Amino acid sequence: SRLTGGGTVATTKRLSFGAEFLLDRLNLDAYLPKPPEKTTKTGKKKATKAVGEPGVGAAAKAGTEPGAKAPLSALKMLTTLDANLKARIKTLVFEGEQIKDVFFDGTLHNGRLKIHRLSVAKMASASGSVSGIIDGLAGEPTATGLKFDVRARDVPRFLRLAGLDPPVLSKDLGVIRVR
């Protein structure tokens, strides 16, 4: 991987920083735990998702057990600093999929995150962007003014990467666009 860019830090009452960087490639699969393998009837090993592995619905289930920590409590740390960040990753590898041109431009100020643009040029035959404001990071976050633009050519592939089981009929949908 090659990282280029720069940043500044201000040691004021609230820690503040600004950064802009470009990373050519990041393989998350190399850093994430590998799922355990199951043996099939033919004796071949097959990778499966681990029980309790985070995915869609995991955030909703987290925090429901007695004594469980709130799933978004780690966001509280973001209320202690201010930041301006622009970051681009040309190729991000996740679960074997190459995700192209991931871009984030955002401002964090007094516990309020303004996403100017979060976009992905190509991910499992889909592309998309989001912008808006997330407030209340110290407690229960709220979102305002969120704008989504997502386009998927292969809906089942996109849903599988998101951790969802696609409905049987979804393979015949063709291109889908959500705004």
Side-chain angles (χ1 to χ4, degrees):
S1 295
R2 181 182 168 114
L3 177 67
T4 57
T8 59
V9 175
T11 54
T12 57
K13 198 173 205 181
R14 290 173 58 84
L15 176 64
S16 302
F17 72 90
E20 185 168 347
F21 66 87
L22 170 68
L23 182 62
D24 70 337
R25 182 174 180 84
L26 176 61
N27 183 353
L28 288 178
D29 293 344
Y31 302 100
L32 296 173
K34 298 197 181 348
E37 293 183 353
K38 281 187 178 178
T39 305
T40 63
K41 290 179 183 179
T42 60
K44 294 181 182 179
K45 290 187 175 184
K46 180 181 174 184
T48 60
K49 285 194 173 188
V51 174
E53 181 178 274
V56 174
K61 293 176 188 171
T64 58
E65 298 172 13
K69 193 172 182 180
L72 301 176
S73 63
L75 295 176
K76 186 174 184 175
M77 183 272 308
L78 295 176
T79 64
T80 64
L81 56 95
D82 296 328
N84 286 311
L85 179 65
K86 284 187 182 180
R88 172 168 277 140
I89 303 172
K90 288 184 178 180
T91 303
L92 178 68
V93 179
F94 177 68
E95 292 189 358
E97 286 281 345
Q98 290 196 14
I99 302 168
K100 298 290 188 176
D101 201 18
V102 178
F103 180 76
F104 176 81
D105 179 4
T107 302
L108 178 64
H109 182 69
N110 286 331
R112 182 180 199 206
L113 176 62
K114 182 172 185 182
I115 302 169
H116 303 288
R117 187 173 117 213
L118 171 60
S119 63
V120 176
K122 184 179 176 190
M123 175 178 75
S125 82
S127 62
S129 65
V130 64
S131 62
I133 296 172
I134 301 174
D135 214 343
L137 298 176
E140 191 165 321
T142 58
T144 56
L146 285 183
K147 295 179 184 174
F148 293 91
D149 186 3
V150 179
R151 182 183 176 123
R153 286 191 325 266
D154 184 346
V155 175
R157 182 176 169 204
F158 177 69
L159 291 174
R160 280 191 296 276
L161 184 64
L164 297 170
D165 291 325
V168 176
L169 300 175
S170 66
K171 65 183 175 185
D172 299 324
L173 290 175
V175 176
I176 299 290
R177 185 163 193 169
V178 178
R179 283 187 161 187

